[in-house]
Amino acid sequence: MPFAGSIEHVPLEELRWGAPPAPEPTFMRSLKAAFRQDNIVGSILASENLAVPRSDAFHHIDRSYNVFNDIEGYEHHAKRFTHVFNAKAAQVMKTQIDMEEKDRRVLEASGFVRALLTRGTAMILDPTLFIPGGAIMKGERLGQAALKSALRVGAGTGAIEAAHEAGLHATQELRTGETSLLNIGGAAILGALLGGGASAVMTMAERRQMAKVLKEAIKEGFDAEAQALHDEIHHVSSPQSLGAAVAPKATLEDFSIAGNAASKVAKATAQMNPLLRTLQSPSVLVRDIASQMMETPIYLKKNMHGFGDMAAETAMHEYTRGRLAQVLQKQKDLWLETRKAGDILTQKEFNEAVGRALRRLDASEIPGVEEAAKVWRKQIFDPLKERAIKARLLPEDVHVSTAASYFSRMWSRPALEANETKFRKIVKDWLSDEIAVAERKEEARLAKGETQEQTFNFVSDEDRDNYIDTIISDIWAKLTGRDHAQAFESPFVVSKRGPLKERTFHIPDYLVEEFLEHDVELVGRRYARIMAGDIELAQRFGSADMRNTLKNVVRDYEEMRQKIYTDATLTEALKAKSVKALNKRERADIRDLTAVRDILRGQYRPEIQHTTAARLHNAAGSFNYMRALGGMLISSLSDVVRPAMVHGLSAYMRDGLIPLIRRVKAVKMSVEEAKMAGAISEKILASRMATLAEITDPYAVGSPFEHFLRNAASGFTRMTGILHWNDFQKSLSATMTQNRILRNAEAAATKGFDALSPSEKAYMGFLGLGHGRAEYLGKMFKSHGETEGGILVANTQKWGSDEIADIIRRAYRGAINKDVDSIIVTKGVGDVPLFMNTPTGRLIGQFKSFALASNQRVLMRGLQEDKTRFIGGILGMTVIGAFTYALKQMESGREVSDNPGTWVAEGLDRSGIFSVAFEINNVLEKFGYLGLYQAMAAPFRDKEQRTSASRYAVRSNVGSLLGPGFGGVSDMATLLGLPWREMGASDIEAMRRLTPFASLPYFRWFIDGMVMPELKDRIK
């Protein structure tokens, strides 16, 4: 991938093998090498890493063994040995590398024709290219045509190549992520051009019938409301002077959703999430507050005039994603350097050493640890501390009295619960000393004749001990979550009475160090999330708790009620009814605003986040993720169309695809800018997939088993290949977004903001770079930016540190995040119901976040923008959705429908554009109700009439309605009855649904296509 770093190339003469192999190796030798390198089965069978048993000896950490002193001849593969800690594991790694290098040399020496023949044979015979179980070879005309269509565009389309590369990447050492991503991305882009693939499997009569199904979607006037909005954009032109950078006083209309079609969709789905609810509020103040808190991925009417701002949620990403990802990458590099230097530390041990160093003035005997601590201090802890001071969240002379240097406390609940007696004794001794000091100070004051309230009235030593024990119990409850308080920061009041009244829990770190979490990654992630949220809220509303802001909302509603009372045109009955409705709306608005505030601060409903049930639900979520979402990369192929749908096909070619080939250096610079903003961080943070799969939990501490599940889920994500795909698509989108923004800003700086076209003014306002900011951004770009081969790079790091530069830099980075997160759908806090932020809600709504977020970010925004792009996007994403359906059916060994209407329904369903409608429809069809699939299949009466979506084919009824978590419980309950009855085909299906990792494409073809049919036949 040219924008992610150069692909490592080792010249042939530098390899260790000495003389090159024979110029023309035998055909069989070339074929064997090709099968090992390009065929999943061959790669699995040849893998040394999979063949060697993973015994304790293999994983043993030998502290006297430095693997980097034992890799002579393998230096250029040093990173491959990072997780190797003993000689046995090192030898396995060397053997694997030797085999792969030898195979590559054989293929290089085979000549073009022989290499093409052998590698082509290996790839064509790869199981990912076949319908498992032989379905594609059964001779049906549809299957043959589908195969021919696939072969015409190459051995792999994006989805097939994704499964293929994921399997090879999991079993080989020298296959880099960049190489795999290039193969996947290139194949996917070609796959997007398969417009004729679907028509190739239909007769002329069938195509005419399908045209009737699509007729309403392509005829003139299909979306009159969207066209009206499009016309409105082009006619909105109210010339204003450059000085008119401040919007006039906001009205209810300003915060209304632009466009008739989009506003109707918003009204129909308003109860789904707090964003749409608050944008329907009768209070302009509530709408204003909501837009400043939550990222709003849809155009408001004020955006049409070039006005808009950056929400607190969007601004947080610079730290919670951008800086955090950079620090974690730097820390990983330093860990590798430390390993090479001879310090035998696992990554977890290195992280903990960095955490301890941060408590000791960043000092450590290990140079890499010390440097990593300084990076955290410089990039995360100090900047957020300084911004917190400016926001008046911390005093200007803030200092730390409990440790040598500032490092936020995060208590380790497992350590506390495992050593409760020891912890209580340490705290009791410390409290006794604190009381003794307070008593001496009071005696001294009394001796001077100073009068004050008497605070010491212990009648006996037993009374004193009871007082201390009560405090210790309160502290214990807070730190272990039993009273649902936040246990992240150390200062909290330990007592409301007695000698320690209003004192905070400032026990020194060195006394309780064994009970603290030292892993700097865990603490740093949580610190960035909480501090960034508090700072952004405080800057906008005066305080993080928004107390005065919420009081203003109450006053605003009181004024609205007074207007009703004094309205002489209303009857008393109508007044009472209106006031009742207004009171209900006030409660709902305050509930939504306070909930979003707490979510941004990482403390939403803490009383239910630490219970045993919550921990079980979170663990079930991780388990469900690993058993169900192995094929998510294939399902994400429609992302290819989104940049063109938003920015246009010409921009897609000019600013996206062509620069990837011709302007590598410029694209890399643009991508680096987006990384600093936080728009591209998936390979490091995996934040998008974690939020969409509902497996992220800001409150999670957990047991070792819970940590194991989270780590396993993280490894599973990497096995799917989705992280590289997400970063590839976000890189493409970010480059296009930056080009569009900077071109507009440059024009605004030269000719004035009003010189922009109405649609571009609306776009800049939507991103918070409207009047005033666009001109300043243009000036910054002219002074510090550069243009190379049509790629515009802002170079924000060169803008300086003055206040204006900082404001514009953060606004620009926020704009990049907002647009990219909308193009490549990334869930925001306002996109899902509040219920889905609870443990039970996350479990029930698991895997539905994408559908809910797409409602705003794809459908509603699409309705608001260019009609041609929107219709083109529907068609393009539907084609890829239909293609994805066919691949999923092939992968799982199920029949591909011969009904064109089914293909259209599947394509629309999997496109993600009409996601909410299809989610509701699919659940109803699963329970036997009539729905869209039947309606679209019905015109083709001589074809298969399937009753439900293929996405729901393997889901139980319970799982379809209540989510995969409850579906899993239902499956387990079914299997528990096996001792008292005979096993049936449904039991086999339940076992399959409960099998982790079975949904990975390179496993699924075997399990669903071969194992499952065989098991079912034996049951019969």
Side-chain angles (χ1 to χ4, degrees):
M1 186 171 64
F3 49 81
S6 300
I7 298 174
E8 182 181 7
H9 173 68
V10 181
L12 190 61
E13 61 269 15
E14 291 183 14
L15 294 172
R16 301 177 301 97
W17 290 89
E24 294 185 3
T26 65
F27 179 82
M28 287 306 299
R29 187 180 179 194
S30 298
L31 188 61
K32 289 179 181 178
F35 263 85
R36 284 192 292 265
Q37 296 304 305
D38 296 307
N39 185 283
I40 286 180
V41 174
S43 183
I44 291 174
L45 294 177
S47 175
E48 289 290 329
N49 287 332
L50 295 181
V52 176
R54 291 310 200 216
S55 62
D56 291 340
F58 185 86
H59 290 291
H60 173 66
I61 298 176
D62 185 351
R63 300 290 180 182
S64 64
Y65 176 76
N66 183 1
V67 69
F68 295 102
N69 294 333
D70 188 26
I71 59 172
E72 182 179 356
Y74 297 87
E75 291 83 357
H76 49 286
H77 297 305
K79 286 188 177 181
R80 305 294 174 187
F81 293 87
T82 303
H83 295 278
V84 173
F85 290 93
N86 63 68
K88 181 178 180 181
Q91 186 57 49
V92 170
M93 182 67 68
K94 291 175 184 178
T95 303
Q96 178 72 21
I97 292 173
D98 287 347
M99 182 269 291
E100 292 183 36
E101 283 187 339
K102 184 176 180 179
D103 285 344
R104 292 185 177 196
R105 294 185 64 202
V106 167
L107 293 172
E108 287 176 4
S110 296
F112 176 77
V113 175
R114 182 171 291 176
L116 181 63
L117 181 60
T118 56
R119 301 190 79 167
T121 301
M123 287 189 286
I124 290 174
L125 294 178
D126 191 284
T128 58
L129 297 184
F130 286 86
I131 299 178
I136 198 167
M137 303 306 295
K138 288 182 179 179
E140 282 91 339
R141 177 177 50 78
L142 181 64
Q144 293 172 350
L147 178 59
K148 292 176 182 177
S149 177
L151 292 177
R152 275 200 299 270
V153 296
T157 58
I160 294 175
E161 188 65 20
H164 184 237
E165 286 293 331
L168 296 178
H169 197 74
T171 56
Q172 296 178 14
E173 289 298 330
L174 302 187
R175 184 171 293 268
T176 64
E178 288 80 6
T179 300
S180 295
L181 186 55
L182 278 173
N183 293 337
I184 294 168
I189 291 169
L190 289 175
L193 303 178
L194 281 174
S199 63
V201 303
M202 291 179 283
T203 65
M204 182 62 70
E206 290 168 343
R207 288 200 293 272
R208 290 197 196 101
Q209 190 65 42
M210 179 182 282
K212 292 180 181 179
V213 177
L214 290 173
K215 186 176 181 180
E216 293 300 316
I218 61 178
K219 71 178 184 179
E220 188 66 27
F222 156 71
D223 189 0
E225 294 87 354
Q227 185 62 44
L229 172 61
H230 189 51
D231 294 338
E232 176 187 345
I233 291 176
H234 284 280
H235 287 90
V236 170
S237 180
S238 53
Q240 299 179 32
S241 66
L242 181 62
V246 180
K249 185 178 179 180
T251 65
L252 205 63
E253 184 74 2
D254 291 329
F255 292 98
S256 297
I257 296 169
N260 292 329
S263 61
K264 288 178 180 178
V265 173
K267 188 173 182 179
T269 57
Q271 295 309 308
M272 286 199 328
N273 59 54
L275 174 65
L276 296 182
R277 269 198 304 272
T278 51
L279 289 179
Q280 306 289 329
S281 173
S283 168
V284 63
L285 180 59
V286 168
R287 295 190 186 191
D288 189 4
I289 294 168
S291 68
Q292 291 187 59
M293 294 174 71
M294 293 175 277
E295 186 169 274
T296 309
I298 46 181
Y299 285 79
L300 302 178
K301 288 190 176 179
K302 70 173 185 175
N303 300 150
M304 297 301 160
H305 302 277
F307 294 104
D309 212 334
M310 178 173 56
E313 177 189 3
T314 308
M316 290 169 59
H317 295 328
E318 182 180 353
Y319 283 90
T320 59
R321 295 198 316 213
R323 293 202 182 204
L324 187 61
Q326 293 177 66
V327 170
L328 290 175
Q329 183 60 58
K330 180 63 175 177
Q331 177 169 283
K332 187 175 181 180
D333 294 340
L334 289 169
W335 171 55
L336 179 59
E337 292 177 13
T338 300
R339 291 273 284 110
K340 290 180 179 180
D343 291 295
I344 313 303
L345 296 172
T346 65
Q347 192 164 6
K348 173 76 171 176
E349 291 169 341
F350 184 85
N351 290 355
E352 292 179 342
V354 174
R356 290 187 174 90
L358 281 162
R359 291 195 173 94
R360 296 173 173 82
L361 297 175
D362 304 338
S364 173
E365 297 178 355
I366 304 172
V369 169
E370 185 169 313
E371 186 175 351
K374 291 177 179 177
V375 171
W376 277 98
R377 180 85 57 208
K378 181 180 179 181
Q379 294 294 327
I380 299 291
F381 290 104
D382 282 354
L384 284 173
K385 182 181 72 173
E386 291 166 6
R387 290 193 61 204
I389 291 172
K390 289 182 180 179
R392 298 183 179 180
L393 292 174
L394 294 174
E396 292 186 7
D397 60 345
V398 63
H399 65 279
V400 181
S401 60
T402 61
S405 60
Y406 181 65
F407 180 56
S408 290
R409 283 181 178 176
M410 183 172 173
W411 294 89
S412 172
R413 192 175 303 146
L416 287 167
E417 292 173 346
N419 298 279
E420 180 178 358
T421 302
K422 184 176 181 180
F423 175 79
R424 285 178 175 273
K425 183 179 186 308
I426 291 172
V427 175
K428 184 170 186 177
D429 292 343
W430 175 74
L431 286 173
S432 297
D433 292 342
E434 289 290 296
I435 291 175
V437 170
E439 287 175 331
R440 287 194 294 271
K441 289 181 178 179
E442 183 171 316
E443 291 172 359
R445 286 193 295 270
L446 292 174
K448 295 179 181 179
E450 297 177 6
T451 59
Q452 62 174 29
E453 180 184 355
Q454 183 71 28
T455 58
F456 299 101
N457 53 2
F458 299 127
V459 297
S460 64
D461 290 342
E462 183 180 2
D463 185 27
R464 179 192 183 101
D465 288 341
N466 288 337
Y467 174 74
I468 293 175
D469 288 341
T470 300
I471 293 175
I472 293 173
S473 295
D474 289 341
I475 292 172
W476 175 259
K478 287 183 171 68
L479 298 186
T480 56
R482 286 167 169 78
D483 75 344
H484 318 305
Q486 289 295 296
F488 178 68
E489 298 293 346
S490 58
F492 53 81
V493 175
V494 297
S495 179
K496 293 291 185 181
R497 62 181 184 83
L500 297 182
K501 181 180 180 181
E502 302 302 331
R503 298 287 183 90
T504 54
F505 187 51
H506 269 151
I507 189 170
D509 280 359
Y510 71 88
L511 290 176
V512 291
E513 192 169 59
E514 66 182 287
F515 303 103
L516 299 176
E517 180 60 67
H518 302 295
D519 190 325
V520 68
E521 182 175 347
L522 292 178
V523 179
R525 279 177 180 251
R526 187 165 170 81
Y527 175 81
R529 161 72 184 276
I530 291 175
M531 287 296 287
D534 281 2
I535 290 166
E536 297 300 337
L537 290 174
Q539 287 184 332
R540 286 161 177 76
F541 306 110
S543 65
D545 61 15
M546 298 173 58
R547 184 175 302 174
N548 291 332
T549 301
L550 294 173
K551 288 181 180 178
N552 291 337
V553 171
V554 173
R555 283 194 289 268
D556 189 44
Y557 268 97
E558 180 59 33
E559 291 175 4
M560 285 191 282
R561 281 190 289 268
Q562 288 302 319
K563 288 181 181 180
I564 294 174
Y565 290 137
T566 57
D567 190 342
T569 63
L570 300 177
T571 64
E572 291 301 318
L574 193 55
K575 286 181 181 180
K577 183 178 179 180
S578 299
V579 168
K580 182 178 180 181
L582 206 60
N583 290 340
K584 182 179 179 181
R585 187 68 208 220
E586 178 185 12
R587 291 191 295 271
D589 283 347
I590 291 178
R591 177 202 64 206
D592 284 336
L593 295 179
T594 54
V596 172
R597 174 202 64 190
D598 293 343
I599 294 169
L600 290 175
R601 300 184 70 194
Q603 57 179 33
Y604 178 64
R605 298 195 63 186
E607 75 279 3
I608 63 172
Q609 302 291 351
H610 303 299
T611 63
T612 300
R615 294 167 71 175
L616 288 173
H617 287 170
N618 292 336
S622 296
F623 180 76
N624 292 334
Y625 174 62
M626 290 185 287
R627 68 185 178 89
L629 287 193
M632 59 183 138
L633 193 152
I634 297 175
S635 300
S636 299
L637 284 180
S638 59
D639 286 348
V640 170
V641 180
R642 283 291 293 146
M645 186 176 177
V646 171
H647 295 298
L649 186 58
S650 60
Y652 189 43
M653 300 300 295
R654 181 191 66 227
D655 300 334
L657 297 184
I658 294 175
L660 288 179
I661 302 171
R662 298 182 179 177
R663 310 294 177 190
V664 176
K665 179 182 177 182
V667 172
K668 287 177 65 176
M669 293 169 62
S670 182
V671 168
E672 284 303 315
E673 190 71 58
K675 286 182 177 179
M676 287 188 283
I680 304 170
S681 58
E682 283 301 296
K683 283 192 290 187
I684 300 174
L685 301 179
S687 54
R688 178 179 182 243
M689 288 317 305
T691 56
L692 290 179
E694 297 298 340
I695 58 171
T696 181
D697 178 14
Y699 314 94
V701 178
S703 66
F705 178 69
E706 291 169 279
H707 283 299
F708 166 77
L709 279 179
R710 285 196 291 272
N711 290 335
S714 177
F716 173 81
T717 302
R718 284 166 171 76
M719 292 178 69
T720 65
I722 192 67
L723 301 183
H724 290 282
W725 174 257
N726 283 340
D727 273 356
F728 173 80
Q729 288 299 324
K730 287 200 169 191
S731 296
L732 192 69
S733 301
T735 302
M736 296 173 65
T737 292
Q738 290 176 81
N739 267 19
R740 185 175 177 183
I741 290 174
L742 293 175
R743 285 196 184 103
N744 287 336
E746 192 173 26
T750 303
K751 304 174 184 178
F753 185 77
D754 290 321
L756 298 178
S757 68
S759 59
E760 294 308 305
K761 287 170 63 176
Y763 177 72
M764 296 296 278
F766 166 71
L767 295 181
L769 292 171
H771 289 277
R773 285 183 175 175
E775 296 90 330
Y776 273 112
L777 175 59
K779 293 175 183 177
M780 290 292 185
F781 175 67
K782 284 186 175 183
S783 300
H784 305 286
E786 57 187 294
T787 303
E788 182 177 331
I791 299 297
L792 283 64
V793 182
N795 289 328
T796 57
Q797 72 276 15
K798 299 179 181 179
W799 288 7
S801 57
D802 60 274
E803 187 174 358
I804 292 179
D806 187 55
I807 291 173
I808 301 302
R809 177 169 42 242
R810 296 185 63 242
Y812 176 62
R813 290 177 174 176
I816 297 172
N817 276 313
K818 181 174 182 176
D819 204 30
V820 172
D821 283 354
S822 179
I823 296 171
I824 308 302
V825 176
T826 305
K827 185 191 77 173
V829 297
D831 286 332
V832 299
L834 295 177
F835 178 61
M836 285 181 63
N837 291 283
T838 66
T840 303
R842 281 193 291 270
L843 195 61
I844 292 177
Q846 195 172 20
F847 310 153
K848 300 186 185 297
S849 291
F850 175 83
L852 297 173
S854 293
N855 183 62
Q856 292 83 245
R857 296 174 183 265
V858 180
L859 175 59
M860 291 175 60
R861 182 178 176 182
L863 289 170
Q864 293 177 312
E865 295 185 321
D866 186 87
K867 177 183 177 181
T868 303
R869 295 176 188 171
F870 182 55
I871 297 299
I874 291 176
L875 295 176
M877 294 176 77
T878 299
V879 168
I880 296 180
F883 184 56
T884 300
Y885 153 71
L887 291 173
K888 288 282 190 178
Q889 293 296 99
M890 296 175 186
E891 175 192 60
S892 59
R894 296 192 295 266
E895 295 287 343
V896 178
S897 174
D898 63 350
N899 192 314
T902 297
W903 280 67
V904 174
E906 288 284 355
L908 288 170
D909 187 359
R910 293 178 181 275
S911 72
I913 299 175
F914 307 101
S915 52
V916 171
F918 272 98
E919 284 293 327
I920 296 172
N921 173 81
N922 294 346
V923 171
L924 292 175
E925 288 190 339
K926 188 70 177 180
F927 281 86
Y929 294 94
L930 295 177
L932 294 172
Y933 276 84
Q934 294 96 318
M936 290 187 176
F940 307 93
R941 298 184 182 280
D942 60 330
K943 304 297 181 182
E944 178 198 20
Q945 300 293 313
R946 190 158 48 78
T947 58
S948 62
S950 63
R951 291 196 300 116
Y952 280 62
V954 297
R955 301 187 193 183
S956 65
N957 287 357
V958 174
S960 300
L961 182 63
L962 297 179
F966 291 90
V969 172
S970 176
D971 287 338
M972 290 180 185
T974 298
L975 295 177
L976 288 175
L978 283 177
W980 296 276
R981 59 178 174 79
E982 292 186 2
M983 180 179 290
S986 61
D987 297 312
I988 301 296
E989 292 286 353
M991 291 179 184
R992 159 64 182 82
R993 288 193 293 264
L994 291 172
T995 304
F997 290 66
S999 58
L1000 289 166
Y1002 41 95
F1003 295 150
R1004 186 175 181 179
W1005 70 266
F1006 176 72
I1007 295 173
D1008 286 355
M1010 298 180 183
V1011 175
M1012 292 290 290
E1014 180 68 21
L1015 289 175
K1016 289 180 180 178
D1017 287 342
R1018 293 192 178 188
I1019 291 295
K1020 292 178 183 178

